[in-house]
Amino acid sequence: MATVLICRRFPRLSRVTTFSTAAKCKAESGSSKSNPIKEEEPETASSRTESAATIQLLNPLGYKVSYNPSAYAKTRAASQQHCARSSDQALCDAFTSPGATQVQHSFGATSSQALPPIRNALPKQQPAPLPKQSIPAHLPTAQTKEEAEKQKAEMHDSKEDPRVFQKGRPEYRSLSCDKSEPVETLTLEEGDAILRSVALSKDHQSAGAIADYFRKLSRLPAEQHAELLSKPGFNTLCRCAVKNIRLFSTSDLIDVLKACVRLAVPPTHPLLNTCESEFCHRAWDMNLDQLLLVADCWRCLERNVPSYLNILFSYVNLHWKDLTLPQFVQLVYIIGEGRRSPADLVQKVESMILKYVDSFTLEEVGAICLGLFKSVSGISDHVMRRIADRVSLQMADMSTYALVNVLKMLRYTRIDHLPLLKELGKVIPARIPAVNIQGIMHITLSCSALHYFDEGIMAAVAMSLPPKVTYCRSKDAAKFLWSFGCLDYEPPNEEEFYSSLIEQLHRKLHEFRKFPEHLLTGLLGLAFVKRFPEELIDFALRDEFVRKTRNSKYELKKDLFTLSKSVEIECPGYQGSLLPPQLCQEITEMVLNFAEQEIYIRPEIVEASSLLESVLGGPEYLKNHMILPHTRSSDLEVHLTMDGRPVPFNSQNPVAGMKLKDIGVSLTDDLMTQLIKGKANGQSPAETENEARDPGQEEAWTPRVGDPAACAGGAFLSDAGPKSGSWLEPPHSLALVQQPQRVKLAVQVSNRNHYCHGSKRLLGLHCLKRRQLRQLGYVVVELPFWEWFPLLKRTRLEKLSYLHYKVFDPALLNRAA
């Protein structure tokens, strides 16, 4: 059997660290255990003729990494073709047309195309056109049983997997439609005989006989179902059912619907249109078991029936006290699959959960959490904690699928249930290799969303991911990158881990046109850990892609802003696309407006700002603002001379506009002379102003611990105060040139949301912010929440002493020097 050497071009990757890469993909004539050779179809192999690939990083320093792409697999299955007609003639056409009932299934394939190299052109030049979506590569079917099992394990059945809980109690047999229930098989000859009987006496069939025909035909072997649906005799049977729909008993009508489920009748089939209308008409005469069973059939048929569900929810609302435990769980499942939460049932659902929480099976607990999650149903912290209490005690006995569903709801409600999370760290790492890629993604995302770092979980995820990365959807790859970046964790196999995910982003490039939020999620996660894939960033910041983000259901401007500004600061050699200045200004104003309303006014920040003014000598020595608006958090900026004296720089709070406190200054003859005639030494006003503006000559108060003036918060007259008309600050870059001997402090008032749960591990976004502040020449000073928050309840003198120690720490000046 001929073999084809695969050499994938690895995308150019920029990383602002001491690492740089110039990796090449080498193909030898012989095979290697560490570099297996995979087969591809001719059209796929022919598109990959490059014999070598270079991974380009910014500021290359000679660090080399070999890249070995993992096997790329693609799955095939079939898509359904539906017929939807409303008139009588259309109904007849649908029943008699073989093509109307043919069933095929097809799932979207992944694209293996990577971005073309960035053109070394100035940003003002015409950008390269967006890469076209490549034709999906059809890889050969798995050749071994092991590969087939692996592929099967990665496939998530979104219709059947959530129904596992129904196997746990016999009561669900009357509430749900089980297609896997064994039945006596009908032979093909018997099926043909039924269809001939229908054709011969189509105008004289009773409703009972028609229902019986459906029951029998549904017992045909599964491989015969598609052929049956295309036969004229079956279409004739469907017309008979529609004609006699009102004559069916409710149980017969339900059996017809269950037969449609077993036969995989397309959800828009005309027979189902008629059945839905009839069930809506009869709903109030049915019992709750029947209503739930019919709702389950609609789910199995993948048919959207909002009118029927409205009636079901109204019925349940009136008979709430009569619900049994299985009926309740089945109801929550139906609510979740319908993706809607009836507002008038929310409190009743909570009360029922509390009633049965200790009686649910573990699979039922998972089903309830999934139903609440899918229907976006908010529940109280108390109820969620009761569920988490139950799970934390029995997690080892719970299936991974049910556990993942609990984690989804825990993530949605933002409940940091520590006993459950600690138990998760004991139970889940050993299971990770056997979990499919979507399950692993939800476990990882739950940890990052709850800011919970467990190295055992994260390392297990990192080691298991590269071999199965090609099963990642665009969403999965993005969430993995975000989660690891958010927790600021780089695993032991970091190069293999990140390389495989970045390559998968390239394969899924066509999906980002429809889901732009996923690409930005992944790129921001990479930026948190100082990784900047240059081609993907260029693609994400082009005008074409930025326009596509406006159609997303999410607000993505801030994410674009964070990415663009981070690249500007950390990648000086980057020559790709950036956001236009006008858009950056627009987003900056939006962020600052939010900060004024939500951030600057936080008590811990207001208190720190007010007290620092007292420590430094006035508001002109301090600025409460966002030094880096794209990081979306505030800073208290302070400037010091190299010998540690405060420098006034905030012209937005001029001394002239301040209300000075009475500090008991005595009026002497000398003082009155200075006030009336100017300075005693006779300097002209111009000379006085020039001296005041010279940072080397500024007189600034250096407070001492215990100084009465510091405790009183007194303001001091100074010749260094801003003059009338000098309201505008020089540009930031210009200020750096004019004030080279100035130490700039960025004081961070942190809170718990800046750190991983219960630890002093800083989250990725805040690592990025502090890294960039240092790169711009700031010395970062933190008022950590575990020190500052307790001090807020202490005396003013203690707080002033603490702030003085923080700002005038000699180590800061040594670090700056």
Side-chain angles (χ1 to χ4, degrees):
M1 178 174 60
T3 58
V4 179
L5 291 176
I6 300 176
C7 186
R8 291 296 309 278
R9 181 179 61 77
F10 183 67
R12 290 195 292 171
L13 175 69
S14 302
R15 188 180 181 192
V16 184
T17 63
T18 58
F19 303 122
S20 298
T21 307
K24 295 185 179 181
C25 179
K26 300 180 180 180
E28 302 283 342
S29 58
S31 61
S32 170
K33 294 182 181 179
S34 62
N35 189 14
I37 299 174
K38 302 292 181 179
E39 289 189 357
E40 289 186 302
E41 290 184 354
E43 59 268 24
T44 306
S46 64
S47 64
R48 302 179 184 174
T49 57
E50 297 179 24
S51 60
T54 300
I55 308 173
Q56 177 178 337
L57 294 101
L58 297 177
N59 302 324
L61 296 177
Y63 179 75
K64 296 183 179 180
V65 176
S66 297
Y67 176 67
N68 176 22
S70 57
Y72 174 54
K74 172 192 167 298
T75 60
R76 296 184 182 178
S79 66
Q80 243 175 10
Q81 295 182 351
H82 305 151
C83 60
R85 311 248 176 119
S86 56
S87 65
D88 291 340
Q89 182 60 46
L91 180 65
C92 181
D93 292 342
F95 286 144
T96 56
S97 171
T101 53
Q102 289 179 352
V103 180
Q104 291 183 340
H105 294 286
S106 160
F107 296 100
T110 53
S111 170
S112 59
Q113 178 178 347
L115 282 172
I118 291 182
R119 290 176 169 80
N120 294 323
L122 295 175
K124 293 183 180 180
Q125 291 180 325
Q126 185 66 27
L130 291 177
K132 296 181 179 179
Q133 179 177 343
S134 63
I135 300 175
H138 296 278
L139 298 184
T141 306
Q143 298 296 316
T144 68
K145 182 179 179 180
E146 181 181 352
E147 291 174 345
E149 288 297 324
K150 179 180 177 182
Q151 184 170 324
K152 181 180 179 181
E154 290 300 326
M155 295 301 104
H156 168 62
D157 191 334
S158 60
K159 188 164 67 173
E160 290 300 323
D161 290 347
R163 303 168 63 84
V164 176
F165 74 95
Q166 295 171 349
K167 309 291 184 183
R169 297 181 191 268
E171 293 90 337
Y172 288 112
R173 294 175 185 171
S174 62
L175 305 176
S176 60
C177 180
D178 186 1
K179 295 188 296 183
S180 63
E181 184 179 2
V183 294
E184 184 180 353
T185 303
L186 187 75
T187 65
L188 186 59
E189 292 76 15
E190 291 174 313
D192 289 338
I194 290 174
L195 295 182
R196 286 195 297 270
S197 175
V198 170
L200 292 174
S201 55
K202 58 184 178 182
D203 296 328
H204 306 287
Q205 296 288 350
S206 66
I210 294 172
D212 191 53
Y213 290 153
F214 273 99
R215 281 189 286 262
K216 291 179 178 179
L217 290 172
S218 67
R219 289 159 37 202
L220 282 169
E223 58 272 16
Q224 299 294 330
H225 291 171
E227 182 181 352
L228 171 68
L229 298 183
S230 65
K231 289 183 177 181
F234 183 76
N235 295 329
T236 301
L237 180 62
C238 290
R239 287 203 305 272
C240 291
V242 169
K243 181 179 179 181
N244 295 279
I245 197 73
R246 295 292 177 90
L247 302 178
F248 285 101
S249 66
T250 299
S251 60
D252 282 345
L253 189 58
I254 291 175
D255 283 348
V256 170
L257 191 61
K258 290 172 68 175
C260 290
V261 172
R262 294 187 69 92
L263 293 170
V265 174
T268 54
H269 194 284
L271 173 60
L272 299 183
N273 296 341
T274 307
C275 286
E276 181 186 350
S277 299
E278 185 62 20
F279 277 119
C280 288
H281 179 74
R282 299 187 186 197
W284 290 102
D285 297 323
M286 296 162 62
N287 61 46
L288 186 53
D289 279 9
Q290 290 175 324
L291 289 169
L292 291 171
L293 173 57
V294 171
D296 195 69
C297 289
W298 293 130
R299 169 57 191 150
C300 292
L301 289 163
E302 296 186 318
R303 182 179 172 94
N304 188 24
V305 287
S307 298
Y308 179 83
L309 292 181
N310 282 335
I311 298 172
L312 169 63
F313 298 149
S314 298
Y315 184 100
V316 169
N317 203 26
L318 294 176
H319 299 82
W320 190 259
K321 294 182 180 180
D322 301 330
L323 259 67
T324 64
L325 186 153
Q327 287 175 336
F328 170 70
V329 178
Q330 182 69 13
L331 174 67
V332 175
Y333 164 75
I334 294 298
I335 289 174
E337 297 307 303
R339 301 300 198 277
R340 48 186 304 233
S341 175
D344 53 351
L345 292 182
V346 173
Q347 290 186 346
K348 295 179 179 179
V349 167
E350 287 199 5
S351 66
M352 197 67 75
I353 292 175
L354 293 175
K355 178 181 177 180
Y356 290 124
V357 67
D358 294 322
S359 302
F360 294 132
T361 66
L362 293 173
E363 292 303 317
E364 286 172 335
V365 172
I368 288 171
C369 287
L370 182 61
L372 296 173
F373 179 79
K374 284 185 174 182
S375 60
V376 197
S377 301
I379 59 173
S380 66
D381 290 0
H382 173 64
V383 174
M384 191 63 235
R385 289 191 181 279
R386 284 294 306 276
I387 294 174
D389 288 341
R390 168 79 192 282
V391 172
S392 63
L393 295 175
Q394 296 180 280
M395 189 181 295
D397 301 323
M398 195 173 198
S399 73
T400 304
Y401 182 79
L403 177 57
V404 166
N405 291 335
V406 174
L407 292 177
K408 288 179 181 179
M409 199 60 196
L410 206 66
R411 183 176 88 220
Y412 177 74
T413 54
R414 309 292 295 184
I415 301 297
D416 51 348
H417 192 279
L418 201 55
L420 185 148
L421 294 172
K422 286 184 176 179
E423 189 66 17
L424 186 72
K426 299 176 184 177
V427 171
I428 208 65
R431 296 190 189 183
I432 289 293
V435 181
N436 68 11
I437 203 72
Q438 291 188 37
I440 297 176
M441 182 274 287
H442 282 295
I443 292 168
T444 312
L445 183 60
S446 296
C447 288
S448 69
L450 296 173
H451 297 173
Y452 183 74
F453 176 73
D454 185 294
E455 187 166 9
I457 296 175
M458 302 303 288
V461 170
M463 297 305 294
S464 297
L465 186 64
K468 54 175 68 178
V469 73
T470 51
Y471 294 102
C472 285
R473 303 165 297 173
S474 58
K475 176 181 178 179
D476 299 327
K479 297 298 186 183
F480 278 123
L481 291 170
W482 170 266
S483 298
F484 276 71
C486 177
L487 297 176
D488 190 38
Y489 177 64
E490 298 203 28
N493 63 332
E494 59 176 300
E495 292 302 331
E496 180 188 19
F497 174 80
Y498 282 110
S499 296
S500 64
L501 282 170
I502 292 172
E503 178 71 3
Q504 186 67 0
L505 291 184
H506 279 263
R507 293 191 190 100
K508 295 293 184 178
L509 194 63
H510 61 283
E511 294 185 14
F512 296 131
R513 292 179 171 87
K514 185 176 181 181
F515 304 106
E517 62 273 10
H518 296 333
L519 179 58
L520 294 179
T521 295
L523 291 178
L524 285 177
L526 286 166
F528 293 163
V529 291
K530 299 185 290 186
R531 292 176 181 270
F532 298 89
E534 189 173 353
E535 294 177 2
L536 290 173
I537 292 172
D538 174 63
F539 176 72
L541 295 179
R542 294 182 193 176
D543 291 340
E544 298 94 327
F545 187 83
V546 172
R547 284 195 294 269
K548 289 182 182 298
T549 63
R550 298 169 187 166
N551 299 325
S552 172
K553 61 181 179 180
Y554 303 100
E555 172 53 64
L556 300 178
K557 287 183 179 179
K558 294 178 183 178
D559 291 345
L560 287 166
F561 186 45
T562 301
L563 179 63
S564 183
K565 287 299 179 182
S566 294
V567 171
E568 283 188 52
I569 295 172
E570 300 202 56
C571 303
Y574 174 75
Q575 296 184 356
S577 303
L578 292 170
L579 290 186
Q582 184 177 358
L583 181 57
C584 288
Q585 182 61 31
E586 175 189 331
I587 302 173
T588 299
E589 292 175 1
M590 178 175 65
V591 171
L592 295 180
N593 288 337
F594 172 80
E596 290 176 358
Q597 299 173 14
E598 300 290 338
I599 299 179
Y600 299 156
I601 61 175
R602 291 175 182 168
E604 67 273 16
I605 295 177
V606 172
E607 182 81 349
S609 178
S610 174
L611 292 172
L612 273 174
E613 288 181 5
S614 299
V615 169
L616 297 169
E620 70 272 23
Y621 294 94
L622 176 78
K623 188 171 185 179
N624 180 7
H625 69 133
M626 288 184 173
I627 298 175
L628 302 176
H630 65 276
T631 61
R632 314 174 203 177
S633 56
S634 67
D635 313 270
L636 301 177
E637 185 172 358
V638 175
H639 292 188
L640 302 177
T641 60
M642 293 304 294
D643 58 356
R645 293 181 298 167
V647 177
F649 70 98
N650 185 9
S651 61
Q652 294 179 357
N653 291 288
V655 175
M658 293 167 44
K659 181 180 180 181
L660 301 182
K661 295 186 177 181
D662 183 6
I663 57 175
V665 178
S666 300
L667 290 178
T668 63
D669 291 342
D670 290 339
L671 178 59
M672 290 299 296
T673 301
Q674 291 179 34
L675 292 173
I676 296 171
K677 297 183 179 180
K679 297 189 71 173
N681 60 10
Q683 283 181 303
S684 67
E687 292 173 332
T688 303
E689 181 174 348
N690 289 335
E691 180 180 318
R693 290 188 177 185
D694 183 356
Q697 300 295 325
E698 287 172 340
E699 292 289 336
W701 174 55
T702 304
R704 299 183 303 276
V705 176
D707 192 319
C711 297
F716 292 81
L717 288 172
S718 170
D719 289 345
K723 307 303 178 182
S724 176
S726 60
W727 298 92
L728 298 177
E729 293 182 294
H732 186 70
S733 58
L734 182 59
L736 287 176
V737 175
Q738 293 178 340
Q739 312 288 354
Q741 300 301 314
R742 185 175 295 188
V743 178
K744 299 180 298 177
L745 306 184
V747 181
Q748 311 288 297
V749 183
S750 66
N751 61 58
R752 287 177 177 81
N753 287 334
H754 294 177
Y755 290 86
C756 292
H757 184 276
S759 75
K760 296 180 182 179
R761 186 186 187 90
L762 204 61
L763 293 173
L765 176 61
H766 302 285
C767 288
L768 172 143
K769 174 185 176 178
R770 298 187 187 191
R771 187 173 72 234
Q772 292 178 3
L773 284 171
R774 294 187 186 99
Q775 193 156 345
L776 292 175
Y778 284 88
V779 175
V780 177
V781 178
E782 182 181 9
L783 308 184
F785 70 89
W786 57 87
E787 294 177 356
W788 181 239
F789 278 49
L791 271 176
L792 293 176
K793 301 177 181 179
R794 307 298 290 272
T795 66
R796 176 180 174 84
L797 180 58
E798 288 175 296
K799 288 181 279 192
L800 289 170
S801 298
Y802 173 79
L803 292 174
H804 182 276
Y805 166 77
K806 281 289 187 178
V807 172
F808 295 103
D809 183 0
L812 297 179
L813 298 178
N814 294 336
R815 195 186 315 162

